[in-house]
Amino acid sequence: MQLSEEEQEQVLHFARTLSGRPVGKEGKAFLDFVGCIEEDQLAQIATAIEEGCERIDSHEW
């Protein structure tokens, strides 16, 4: 007996939860959003990440 495509997806999802590998969406699922954010907004996001996320505060904890 061969599993249907839906059943195969369910088995794959289950197996990934066992392996500890994060379960998420494939990159192609996000292609509909390409171009939704303006270039200047992307630059602001990148700047915020660089300024706020790339520093280590050894006294934080």
Side-chain angles (χ1 to χ4, degrees), residues 37-49:
I37 302 175
E38 299 292 327
E39 292 268 342
D40 62 325
Q41 292 174 325
L42 290 173
Q44 290 175 348
I45 292 169
T47 300
I49 291 170

Side-chain angles (χ1 to χ4, degrees), residues 36 44 48 54:
C36 290
Q44 290 175 348
E54 295 196 7

Side-chain angles (χ1 to χ4, degrees), residues 9-24:
E9 287 290 328
Q10 289 175 345
V11 170
L12 178 60
H13 176 78
F14 178 71
R16 284 184 174 157
T17 62
L18 294 176
S19 70
R21 180 178 169 198
V23 177

